[in-house]
Amino acid sequence: MRTSWADSVSAAENTAAGSSANDGVGSSSRHAKSSYVPPHLRNRPSSSDLPAPGPAPGPAPALVPAPAPAPALSGSSSSNDRPGYGAALGGNRWGGPRSDVGRPGYGSGGRFGGGGGGWNNNRGGWDRGREREVNPFGDDVDTEPEFSELENTGINFDAYEDIPVETSGENVPPPVNTFAEIDLGEALNQNIRRCKYVKPTPVQRHAIPISLGGRDLMACAQTGSGKTAAFCFPIISGIMNGQFPQRPRGARTVYPLALILSPTRELSCQIHEEARKFSYQTGVRVVVAYGGAPINQQLRDLERGVDILVATPGRLVDLLERARVSLQMIRYLALDEADRMLDMGFEPQIRKIVEQMDMPQPGVRQTMLFSATFPKEIQRLASDFLSGYIFLAVGRVGSSTDLIVQRVEFVHESDKRSHLMDLLHAQKANGTHGKQSLTLVFVETKKGADSLEHWLCMNGFPATTIHGDRTQQEREQALRSFKSGATPILVATDVAARGLDIPHVAHVVNFDIPNDIDDYVHRIGRTGRAGKTGLATAFFNESNASLARALAELMQESNQEVPAWLTRYAARSSYGGGGRNRRSGGRFGGRDFRRDSSFNRGGGGTDYHGGGNSSGYGAAPGGYGGGGYSSAWD
DNA sequence: AAAAAAC
């Protein structure tokens, strides 16, 4: 009923502040968590809007989302909010047979009509509305890739082969070696072919079966490892195949089934673009919402229907407070770059979104948490947000390959500009032109970015810049202009350090070296994407001494040539307790802390079924090994 | 210390 959900939302608003006494740490047991009812949902007549907790998410058959009883939305008289491409399908896993009438004007009959679940599915009927959908692949939609084309994409799949992977948790579903082994459905398979993906990356090989098995997932993986597809495929497949209760449709509020949170606007845009490709002609609607852009277009997009919502936290909180979005129907939650989001101070907003609005509990929804590192704060988040999860650690991309050639050059502060100029001239002369060869230059400050951009332009190098002082429009324009090659040099702050997938970045220059080795790893990860080779040059001088040790170790680890002078710096800084990097010596961003006997919370899932190579663990001198997680590193 | 993120 309209009043029902409206009340729910307004109640949520009214009590959000007071409900922050959420149990937080210490209730990692899923039973404790699943019986928890958020304050704003207590005392509701029939608790009819929130699905009751489902049974323990044990090994479930593939393609079955985490089970949950029906929420039995009372009296809603309208259908779900997506344009239907669907044919009816029997049975409704979430809500049982429904008698609701389909929303007129869309598709071919009620998607929930007449006892049929009515969600489109890949076994038929979804194509009836295909003309409606803008083709995200451009012109070559119906071009089936030739085998030779596949080889020409430049994706070096062998480069992924020796990336170490480790899993732990109870009953870990075995990894797959090909997409064909997984029944993702024909529509999705076709999109995978259109994307020219031939073979799953390591994170995909493991994460997709885990997720399709209905399990929660904590994954330590770098961007560039194929994460986006790893969480999108199971979500899209689950939505296509799953039966969901009818979503109430008020005039304004929409009820997505999946939520993907990411730290930056550009990353959200990128995930949205990728997810749209993956969901092309599946009938699954993906919408993005982020700040800095006019909200009206986003509201219109939402009103046209949303299954998967990709968002940055701030804008989502805004939408939730305006009651334009309800999380009541969320079945899939993915948090990307979780460590980054915490670094950026998003924890309160994320906890508000996940714990204090109307999102179903862990175990009812399926949750995937992605993070490059696994520090204490993320472990806490994992305990609070996940239920009986599987831990997956994928080695750093590039850690065991030579995909990225790293160079470190000693450049005094005052020489940096002319040195950069030399590099750019050399690059120009090297004959790489004709083909786009993009250079991404990282600097420390927004001011520095502007002034370097200006200087480059004055000196005949078309450059643009991206940083947080620019408007969202300027940022997006800069990114477009860079990607297109119109300005083949992009000067950036760390806003662009993580996750952005820009093809053809041949060279990453760390004009200013970051203070955190993780940031360095992320920055150089903007090149050498998808198995292509790339070059990363860092300008090192005295002011970077504190990073010398971590940098030298990282380079050594990835089979790079470490200059003798850097080794000397590294030796010096190691005495002074420098190199406070978080994970030197390891090839993973973290390890499953549940394996440590000292960590006792009574939560389940301490069994270790490690099938992977664990040699990257334990060697960390002050990493996460050893059980004690003192905060000495912060 | 700087960066990012809602209006």
Side-chain angles (χ1 to χ4, degrees), chain A residues 241-282:
Chain A
N241 290 279
Q243 297 298 301
F244 302 92
Q246 172 201 342
R247 282 174 279 174
R249 186 180 174 85
R252 291 152 65 91
T253 309
V254 294
Y255 297 77
L257 298 170
L259 174 64
I260 300 170
L261 287 175
S262 89
T264 66
R265 298 162 181 175
E266 281 78 9
L267 192 50
S268 284
C269 284
Q270 180 183 301
I271 293 169
H272 171 241
E273 277 165 30
E274 279 193 73
R276 264 185 53 224
K277 288 182 187 169
F278 301 151
S279 59
Y280 180 56
Q281 291 187 343
T282 61

mmCIF file of all heavy atoms in Angstrom, chain A residues 241-282:
data_model
loop_
_atom_site.group_PDB
_atom_site.id
_atom_site.type_symbol
_atom_site.label_atom_id
_atom_site.label_comp_id
_atom_site.label_asym_id
_atom_site.label_seq_id
_atom_site.Cartn_x
_atom_site.Cartn_y
_atom_site.Cartn_z
ATOM 1 N N ASN A 241 16.897 -14.456 -13.576
ATOM 2 C CA ASN A 241 16.359 -15.771 -13.256
ATOM 3 C C ASN A 241 15.498 -15.798 -12.004
ATOM 4 O O ASN A 241 14.722 -16.718 -11.812
ATOM 5 C CB ASN A 241 17.500 -16.776 -13.086
ATOM 6 C CG ASN A 241 18.170 -17.079 -14.407
ATOM 7 O OD1 ASN A 241 17.665 -17.884 -15.173
ATOM 8 N ND2 ASN A 241 19.260 -16.399 -14.686
ATOM 9 N N GLY A 242 15.694 -14.805 -11.181
ATOM 10 C CA GLY A 242 15.003 -14.839 -9.907
ATOM 11 C C GLY A 242 13.553 -14.398 -10.015
ATOM 12 O O GLY A 242 13.142 -13.767 -10.976
ATOM 13 N N GLN A 243 12.830 -14.791 -9.026
ATOM 14 C CA GLN A 243 11.448 -14.341 -8.934
ATOM 15 C C GLN A 243 11.392 -13.389 -7.757
ATOM 16 O O GLN A 243 11.830 -13.724 -6.668
ATOM 17 C CB GLN A 243 10.533 -15.539 -8.682
ATOM 18 C CG GLN A 243 10.574 -16.527 -9.820
ATOM 19 C CD GLN A 243 10.092 -15.895 -11.110
ATOM 20 O OE1 GLN A 243 8.970 -15.423 -11.164
ATOM 21 N NE2 GLN A 243 10.927 -15.858 -12.122
ATOM 22 N N PHE A 244 10.874 -12.233 -7.993
ATOM 23 C CA PHE A 244 10.862 -11.246 -6.932
ATOM 24 C C PHE A 244 9.437 -10.792 -6.667
ATOM 25 O O PHE A 244 8.596 -10.855 -7.551
ATOM 26 C CB PHE A 244 11.736 -10.057 -7.314
ATOM 27 C CG PHE A 244 13.153 -10.456 -7.594
ATOM 28 C CD1 PHE A 244 13.556 -10.770 -8.882
ATOM 29 C CD2 PHE A 244 14.069 -10.567 -6.566
ATOM 30 C CE1 PHE A 244 14.858 -11.164 -9.137
ATOM 31 C CE2 PHE A 244 15.370 -10.956 -6.819
ATOM 32 C CZ PHE A 244 15.767 -11.258 -8.111
ATOM 33 N N PRO A 245 9.224 -10.367 -5.460
ATOM 34 C CA PRO A 245 7.890 -9.846 -5.183
ATOM 35 C C PRO A 245 7.671 -8.603 -6.026
ATOM 36 O O PRO A 245 8.618 -7.930 -6.405
ATOM 37 C CB PRO A 245 7.953 -9.487 -3.700
ATOM 38 C CG PRO A 245 9.393 -9.257 -3.426
ATOM 39 C CD PRO A 245 10.146 -10.172 -4.331
ATOM 40 N N GLN A 246 6.472 -8.348 -6.258
ATOM 41 C CA GLN A 246 6.150 -7.151 -7.005
ATOM 42 C C GLN A 246 6.637 -5.941 -6.234
ATOM 43 O O GLN A 246 6.490 -5.850 -5.018
ATOM 44 C CB GLN A 246 4.654 -7.086 -7.163
ATOM 45 C CG GLN A 246 4.220 -5.774 -7.751
ATOM 46 C CD GLN A 246 2.780 -5.518 -7.432
ATOM 47 O OE1 GLN A 246 2.060 -6.436 -7.078
ATOM 48 N NE2 GLN A 246 2.393 -4.276 -7.535
ATOM 49 N N ARG A 247 7.218 -5.046 -6.960
ATOM 50 C CA ARG A 247 7.684 -3.846 -6.290
ATOM 51 C C ARG A 247 6.579 -2.810 -6.307
ATOM 52 O O ARG A 247 6.018 -2.536 -7.364
ATOM 53 C CB ARG A 247 8.928 -3.319 -6.994
ATOM 54 C CG ARG A 247 10.160 -4.125 -6.610
ATOM 55 C CD ARG A 247 11.352 -3.708 -7.392
ATOM 56 N NE ARG A 247 11.392 -4.313 -8.713
ATOM 57 C CZ ARG A 247 12.284 -4.016 -9.634
ATOM 58 N NH1 ARG A 247 13.193 -3.123 -9.378
ATOM 59 N NH2 ARG A 247 12.250 -4.607 -10.805
ATOM 60 N N PRO A 248 6.305 -2.255 -5.164
ATOM 61 C CA PRO A 248 5.254 -1.248 -5.149
ATOM 62 C C PRO A 248 5.677 -0.080 -6.017
ATOM 63 O O PRO A 248 6.863 0.210 -6.142
ATOM 64 C CB PRO A 248 5.177 -0.834 -3.677
ATOM 65 C CG PRO A 248 6.418 -1.324 -3.047
ATOM 66 C CD PRO A 248 6.953 -2.434 -3.876
ATOM 67 N N ARG A 249 4.725 0.524 -6.608
ATOM 68 C CA ARG A 249 5.087 1.658 -7.434
ATOM 69 C C ARG A 249 4.281 2.868 -7.009
ATOM 70 O O ARG A 249 3.107 2.991 -7.290
ATOM 71 C CB ARG A 249 4.834 1.353 -8.896
ATOM 72 C CG ARG A 249 5.340 2.480 -9.756
ATOM 73 C CD ARG A 249 5.106 2.236 -11.216
ATOM 74 N NE ARG A 249 5.504 3.431 -11.933
ATOM 75 C CZ ARG A 249 6.726 3.677 -12.308
ATOM 76 N NH1 ARG A 249 7.663 2.803 -12.061
ATOM 77 N NH2 ARG A 249 7.024 4.783 -12.937
ATOM 78 N N GLY A 250 4.964 3.707 -6.315
ATOM 79 C CA GLY A 250 4.307 4.952 -5.951
ATOM 80 C C GLY A 250 4.615 5.955 -7.024
ATOM 81 O O GLY A 250 5.248 5.652 -8.024
ATOM 82 N N ALA A 251 4.172 7.139 -6.812
ATOM 83 C CA ALA A 251 4.434 8.157 -7.808
ATOM 84 C C ALA A 251 5.925 8.447 -7.886
ATOM 85 O O ALA A 251 6.445 8.740 -8.943
ATOM 86 C CB ALA A 251 3.672 9.422 -7.449
ATOM 87 N N ARG A 252 6.596 8.306 -6.780
ATOM 88 C CA ARG A 252 7.972 8.785 -6.758
ATOM 89 C C ARG A 252 9.019 7.769 -6.334
ATOM 90 O O ARG A 252 10.143 7.813 -6.815
ATOM 91 C CB ARG A 252 8.057 9.999 -5.828
ATOM 92 C CG ARG A 252 7.342 11.214 -6.372
ATOM 93 C CD ARG A 252 6.851 12.103 -5.254
ATOM 94 N NE ARG A 252 7.947 12.671 -4.489
ATOM 95 C CZ ARG A 252 8.519 13.829 -4.766
ATOM 96 N NH1 ARG A 252 8.109 14.528 -5.785
ATOM 97 N NH2 ARG A 252 9.496 14.289 -4.037
ATOM 98 N N THR A 253 8.668 6.906 -5.435
ATOM 99 C CA THR A 253 9.701 6.019 -4.909
ATOM 100 C C THR A 253 9.962 4.829 -5.831
ATOM 101 O O THR A 253 9.037 4.221 -6.343
ATOM 102 C CB THR A 253 9.284 5.482 -3.532
ATOM 103 O OG1 THR A 253 8.894 6.575 -2.710
ATOM 104 C CG2 THR A 253 10.425 4.735 -2.880
ATOM 105 N N VAL A 254 11.220 4.515 -6.023
ATOM 106 C CA VAL A 254 11.563 3.331 -6.805
ATOM 107 C C VAL A 254 12.298 2.324 -5.918
ATOM 108 O O VAL A 254 12.906 2.689 -4.911
ATOM 109 C CB VAL A 254 12.421 3.667 -8.033
ATOM 110 C CG1 VAL A 254 11.632 4.496 -9.017
ATOM 111 C CG2 VAL A 254 13.708 4.362 -7.631
ATOM 112 N N TYR A 255 12.233 1.076 -6.324
ATOM 113 C CA TYR A 255 12.717 -0.025 -5.501
ATOM 114 C C TYR A 255 13.709 -0.888 -6.267
ATOM 115 O O TYR A 255 13.342 -1.918 -6.821
ATOM 116 C CB TYR A 255 11.532 -0.887 -5.051
ATOM 117 C CG TYR A 255 10.550 -0.156 -4.175
ATOM 118 C CD1 TYR A 255 9.631 0.732 -4.705
ATOM 119 C CD2 TYR A 255 10.557 -0.362 -2.800
ATOM 120 C CE1 TYR A 255 8.744 1.417 -3.904
ATOM 121 C CE2 TYR A 255 9.668 0.321 -1.986
ATOM 122 C CZ TYR A 255 8.760 1.210 -2.542
ATOM 123 O OH TYR A 255 7.884 1.878 -1.736
ATOM 124 N N PRO A 256 14.967 -0.481 -6.302
ATOM 125 C CA PRO A 256 15.941 -1.313 -7.010
ATOM 126 C C PRO A 256 16.130 -2.663 -6.318
ATOM 127 O O PRO A 256 15.892 -2.795 -5.118
ATOM 128 C CB PRO A 256 17.225 -0.482 -6.957
ATOM 129 C CG PRO A 256 17.027 0.488 -5.840
ATOM 130 C CD PRO A 256 15.559 0.741 -5.753
ATOM 131 N N LEU A 257 16.562 -3.646 -7.100
ATOM 132 C CA LEU A 257 16.839 -4.978 -6.555
ATOM 133 C C LEU A 257 18.301 -5.133 -6.190
ATOM 134 O O LEU A 257 18.670 -6.013 -5.423
ATOM 135 C CB LEU A 257 16.463 -6.040 -7.597
ATOM 136 C CG LEU A 257 14.983 -6.074 -8.002
ATOM 137 C CD1 LEU A 257 14.785 -6.977 -9.209
ATOM 138 C CD2 LEU A 257 14.130 -6.544 -6.831
ATOM 139 N N ALA A 258 19.126 -4.313 -6.803
ATOM 140 C CA ALA A 258 20.558 -4.408 -6.535
ATOM 141 C C ALA A 258 21.135 -3.012 -6.377
ATOM 142 O O ALA A 258 20.689 -2.074 -7.028
ATOM 143 C CB ALA A 258 21.265 -5.138 -7.679
ATOM 144 N N LEU A 259 22.096 -2.895 -5.476
ATOM 145 C CA LEU A 259 22.751 -1.615 -5.242
ATOM 146 C C LEU A 259 24.256 -1.806 -5.335
ATOM 147 O O LEU A 259 24.816 -2.717 -4.715
ATOM 148 C CB LEU A 259 22.377 -1.082 -3.856
ATOM 149 C CG LEU A 259 23.102 0.194 -3.403
ATOM 150 C CD1 LEU A 259 22.746 1.367 -4.302
ATOM 151 C CD2 LEU A 259 22.773 0.522 -1.948
ATOM 152 N N ILE A 260 24.886 -0.957 -6.121
ATOM 153 C CA ILE A 260 26.348 -0.988 -6.230
ATOM 154 C C ILE A 260 26.873 0.369 -5.782
ATOM 155 O O ILE A 260 26.543 1.393 -6.376
ATOM 156 C CB ILE A 260 26.788 -1.281 -7.676
ATOM 157 C CG1 ILE A 260 26.241 -2.632 -8.148
ATOM 158 C CG2 ILE A 260 28.309 -1.239 -7.793
ATOM 159 C CD1 ILE A 260 26.421 -2.896 -9.626
ATOM 160 N N LEU A 261 27.662 0.380 -4.730
ATOM 161 C CA LEU A 261 28.220 1.629 -4.221
ATOM 162 C C LEU A 261 29.691 1.729 -4.601
ATOM 163 O O LEU A 261 30.433 0.748 -4.512
ATOM 164 C CB LEU A 261 28.105 1.681 -2.693
ATOM 165 C CG LEU A 261 26.715 1.921 -2.102
ATOM 166 C CD1 LEU A 261 26.771 1.820 -0.583
ATOM 167 C CD2 LEU A 261 26.190 3.283 -2.532
ATOM 168 N N SER A 262 30.096 2.923 -5.000
ATOM 169 C CA SER A 262 31.512 3.125 -5.307
ATOM 170 C C SER A 262 31.922 4.515 -4.839
ATOM 171 O O SER A 262 31.077 5.384 -4.656
ATOM 172 C CB SER A 262 31.765 2.947 -6.804
ATOM 173 O OG SER A 262 31.589 4.167 -7.479
ATOM 174 N N PRO A 263 33.222 4.723 -4.620
ATOM 175 C CA PRO A 263 33.651 5.963 -3.975
ATOM 176 C C PRO A 263 33.607 7.214 -4.839
ATOM 177 O O PRO A 263 33.338 8.293 -4.325
ATOM 178 C CB PRO A 263 35.088 5.661 -3.537
ATOM 179 C CG PRO A 263 35.542 4.547 -4.407
ATOM 180 C CD PRO A 263 34.323 3.758 -4.755
ATOM 181 N N THR A 264 33.897 7.119 -6.105
ATOM 182 C CA THR A 264 33.935 8.361 -6.890
ATOM 183 C C THR A 264 32.865 8.358 -7.983
ATOM 184 O O THR A 264 32.392 7.328 -8.423
ATOM 185 C CB THR A 264 35.320 8.602 -7.558
ATOM 186 O OG1 THR A 264 35.554 7.583 -8.536
ATOM 187 C CG2 THR A 264 36.433 8.595 -6.529
ATOM 188 N N ARG A 265 32.561 9.549 -8.401
ATOM 189 C CA ARG A 265 31.515 9.719 -9.422
ATOM 190 C C ARG A 265 31.917 9.043 -10.720
ATOM 191 O O ARG A 265 31.115 8.359 -11.355
ATOM 192 C CB ARG A 265 31.303 11.206 -9.672
ATOM 193 C CG ARG A 265 30.818 11.957 -8.447
ATOM 194 C CD ARG A 265 31.050 13.447 -8.602
ATOM 195 N NE ARG A 265 30.613 14.190 -7.438
ATOM 196 C CZ ARG A 265 30.787 15.485 -7.291
ATOM 197 N NH1 ARG A 265 31.410 16.187 -8.241
ATOM 198 N NH2 ARG A 265 30.369 16.101 -6.210
ATOM 199 N N GLU A 266 33.170 9.256 -11.085
ATOM 200 C CA GLU A 266 33.619 8.688 -12.353
ATOM 201 C C GLU A 266 33.580 7.165 -12.321
ATOM 202 O O GLU A 266 33.262 6.509 -13.309
ATOM 203 C CB GLU A 266 35.043 9.153 -12.678
ATOM 204 C CG GLU A 266 35.116 10.571 -13.247
ATOM 205 C CD GLU A 266 34.971 11.641 -12.165
ATOM 206 O OE1 GLU A 266 34.984 11.302 -10.969
ATOM 207 O OE2 GLU A 266 34.852 12.818 -12.532
ATOM 208 N N LEU A 267 33.914 6.611 -11.162
ATOM 209 C CA LEU A 267 33.893 5.166 -11.055
ATOM 210 C C LEU A 267 32.456 4.647 -11.148
ATOM 211 O O LEU A 267 32.192 3.634 -11.805
ATOM 212 C CB LEU A 267 34.542 4.736 -9.738
ATOM 213 C CG LEU A 267 34.866 3.250 -9.589
ATOM 214 C CD1 LEU A 267 35.634 2.731 -10.784
ATOM 215 C CD2 LEU A 267 35.641 3.004 -8.314
ATOM 216 N N SER A 268 31.552 5.360 -10.535
ATOM 217 C CA SER A 268 30.153 4.965 -10.649
ATOM 218 C C SER A 268 29.689 5.008 -12.101
ATOM 219 O O SER A 268 29.013 4.092 -12.570
ATOM 220 C CB SER A 268 29.269 5.879 -9.797
ATOM 221 O OG SER A 268 29.382 5.533 -8.438
ATOM 222 N N CYS A 269 30.082 6.063 -12.800
ATOM 223 C CA CYS A 269 29.724 6.165 -14.217
ATOM 224 C C CYS A 269 30.259 4.978 -14.998
ATOM 225 O O CYS A 269 29.588 4.407 -15.850
ATOM 226 C CB CYS A 269 30.337 7.429 -14.839
ATOM 227 S SG CYS A 269 29.489 8.914 -14.403
ATOM 228 N N GLN A 270 31.483 4.652 -14.694
ATOM 229 C CA GLN A 270 32.128 3.574 -15.430
ATOM 230 C C GLN A 270 31.467 2.229 -15.147
ATOM 231 O O GLN A 270 31.244 1.439 -16.063
ATOM 232 C CB GLN A 270 33.590 3.533 -15.017
ATOM 233 C CG GLN A 270 34.384 2.467 -15.697
ATOM 234 C CD GLN A 270 35.800 2.456 -15.178
ATOM 235 O OE1 GLN A 270 36.506 3.457 -15.267
ATOM 236 N NE2 GLN A 270 36.204 1.348 -14.603
ATOM 237 N N ILE A 271 31.151 1.990 -13.888
ATOM 238 C CA ILE A 271 30.467 0.744 -13.544
ATOM 239 C C ILE A 271 29.117 0.699 -14.240
ATOM 240 O O ILE A 271 28.709 -0.324 -14.778
ATOM 241 C CB ILE A 271 30.294 0.631 -12.017
ATOM 242 C CG1 ILE A 271 31.654 0.483 -11.343
ATOM 243 C CG2 ILE A 271 29.400 -0.553 -11.656
ATOM 244 C CD1 ILE A 271 31.608 0.631 -9.823
ATOM 245 N N HIS A 272 28.456 1.839 -14.257
ATOM 246 C CA HIS A 272 27.163 1.920 -14.934
ATOM 247 C C HIS A 272 27.285 1.567 -16.410
ATOM 248 O O HIS A 272 26.522 0.773 -16.947
ATOM 249 C CB HIS A 272 26.591 3.332 -14.764
ATOM 250 C CG HIS A 272 25.373 3.603 -15.579
ATOM 251 N ND1 HIS A 272 25.323 4.581 -16.539
ATOM 252 C CD2 HIS A 272 24.158 3.007 -15.583
ATOM 253 C CE1 HIS A 272 24.128 4.584 -17.097
ATOM 254 N NE2 HIS A 272 23.398 3.642 -16.542
ATOM 255 N N GLU A 273 28.275 2.151 -17.052
ATOM 256 C CA GLU A 273 28.463 1.867 -18.479
ATOM 257 C C GLU A 273 28.719 0.384 -18.721
ATOM 258 O O GLU A 273 28.168 -0.219 -19.646
ATOM 259 C CB GLU A 273 29.636 2.687 -19.041
ATOM 260 C CG GLU A 273 29.236 4.099 -19.423
ATOM 261 C CD GLU A 273 30.458 4.998 -19.618
ATOM 262 O OE1 GLU A 273 31.528 4.476 -20.011
ATOM 263 O OE2 GLU A 273 30.338 6.213 -19.366
ATOM 264 N N GLU A 274 29.567 -0.180 -17.897
ATOM 265 C CA GLU A 274 29.867 -1.611 -18.075
ATOM 266 C C GLU A 274 28.640 -2.460 -17.796
ATOM 267 O O GLU A 274 28.321 -3.381 -18.548
ATOM 268 C CB GLU A 274 31.014 -2.025 -17.148
ATOM 269 C CG GLU A 274 32.372 -1.678 -17.697
ATOM 270 C CD GLU A 274 33.468 -2.378 -16.925
ATOM 271 O OE1 GLU A 274 33.616 -3.600 -17.096
ATOM 272 O OE2 GLU A 274 34.160 -1.711 -16.137
ATOM 273 N N ALA A 275 27.953 -2.129 -16.722
ATOM 274 C CA ALA A 275 26.780 -2.927 -16.357
ATOM 275 C C ALA A 275 25.718 -2.840 -17.443
ATOM 276 O O ALA A 275 24.992 -3.802 -17.697
ATOM 277 C CB ALA A 275 26.226 -2.450 -15.021
ATOM 278 N N ARG A 276 25.632 -1.683 -18.101
ATOM 279 C CA ARG A 276 24.661 -1.553 -19.185
ATOM 280 C C ARG A 276 25.015 -2.469 -20.344
ATOM 281 O O ARG A 276 24.144 -3.040 -20.993
ATOM 282 C CB ARG A 276 24.610 -0.107 -19.664
ATOM 283 C CG ARG A 276 23.484 0.688 -19.018
ATOM 284 C CD ARG A 276 23.391 2.086 -19.602
ATOM 285 N NE ARG A 276 23.296 2.070 -21.050
ATOM 286 C CZ ARG A 276 23.979 2.888 -21.851
ATOM 287 N NH1 ARG A 276 24.802 3.760 -21.333
ATOM 288 N NH2 ARG A 276 23.830 2.824 -23.148
ATOM 289 N N LYS A 277 26.291 -2.592 -20.612
ATOM 290 C CA LYS A 277 26.705 -3.517 -21.672
ATOM 291 C C LYS A 277 26.341 -4.950 -21.298
ATOM 292 O O LYS A 277 25.795 -5.695 -22.100
ATOM 293 C CB LYS A 277 28.213 -3.427 -21.914
ATOM 294 C CG LYS A 277 28.638 -2.158 -22.602
ATOM 295 C CD LYS A 277 30.135 -2.174 -22.840
ATOM 296 C CE LYS A 277 30.601 -0.826 -23.375
ATOM 297 N NZ LYS A 277 32.058 -0.713 -23.366
ATOM 298 N N PHE A 278 26.659 -5.293 -20.076
ATOM 299 C CA PHE A 278 26.408 -6.673 -19.652
ATOM 300 C C PHE A 278 24.915 -6.995 -19.655
ATOM 301 O O PHE A 278 24.521 -8.140 -19.847
ATOM 302 C CB PHE A 278 26.962 -6.918 -18.239
ATOM 303 C CG PHE A 278 28.435 -6.678 -18.110
ATOM 304 C CD1 PHE A 278 28.986 -6.266 -16.891
ATOM 305 C CD2 PHE A 278 29.297 -6.863 -19.180
ATOM 306 C CE1 PHE A 278 30.348 -6.044 -16.761
ATOM 307 C CE2 PHE A 278 30.665 -6.634 -19.059
ATOM 308 C CZ PHE A 278 31.185 -6.217 -17.847
ATOM 309 N N SER A 279 24.102 -5.984 -19.417
ATOM 310 C CA SER A 279 22.674 -6.266 -19.279
ATOM 311 C C SER A 279 21.893 -5.940 -20.546
ATOM 312 O O SER A 279 20.668 -5.990 -20.549
ATOM 313 C CB SER A 279 22.099 -5.485 -18.097
ATOM 314 O OG SER A 279 22.295 -4.102 -18.282
ATOM 315 N N TYR A 280 22.595 -5.629 -21.595
ATOM 316 C CA TYR A 280 21.918 -5.297 -22.860
ATOM 317 C C TYR A 280 20.968 -6.429 -23.269
ATOM 318 O O TYR A 280 21.353 -7.597 -23.289
ATOM 319 C CB TYR A 280 22.974 -5.068 -23.939
ATOM 320 C CG TYR A 280 22.417 -4.717 -25.294
ATOM 321 C CD1 TYR A 280 21.573 -3.633 -25.469
ATOM 322 C CD2 TYR A 280 22.767 -5.474 -26.411
ATOM 323 C CE1 TYR A 280 21.081 -3.303 -26.716
ATOM 324 C CE2 TYR A 280 22.279 -5.151 -27.671
ATOM 325 C CZ TYR A 280 21.435 -4.066 -27.821
ATOM 326 O OH TYR A 280 20.955 -3.747 -29.059
ATOM 327 N N GLN A 281 19.773 -6.051 -23.581
ATOM 328 C CA GLN A 281 18.744 -6.991 -24.023
ATOM 329 C C GLN A 281 18.424 -8.090 -23.014
ATOM 330 O O GLN A 281 17.924 -9.150 -23.371
ATOM 331 C CB GLN A 281 19.126 -7.606 -25.369
ATOM 332 C CG GLN A 281 19.063 -6.567 -26.471
ATOM 333 C CD GLN A 281 19.275 -7.161 -27.845
ATOM 334 O OE1 GLN A 281 19.764 -8.276 -27.966
ATOM 335 N NE2 GLN A 281 18.906 -6.426 -28.866
ATOM 336 N N THR A 282 18.761 -7.851 -21.769
ATOM 337 C CA THR A 282 18.339 -8.806 -20.753
ATOM 338 C C THR A 282 17.082 -8.309 -20.054
ATOM 339 O O THR A 282 16.484 -9.037 -19.273
ATOM 340 C CB THR A 282 19.419 -8.973 -19.660
ATOM 341 O OG1 THR A 282 19.619 -7.713 -19.022
ATOM 342 C CG2 THR A 282 20.725 -9.467 -20.246
#
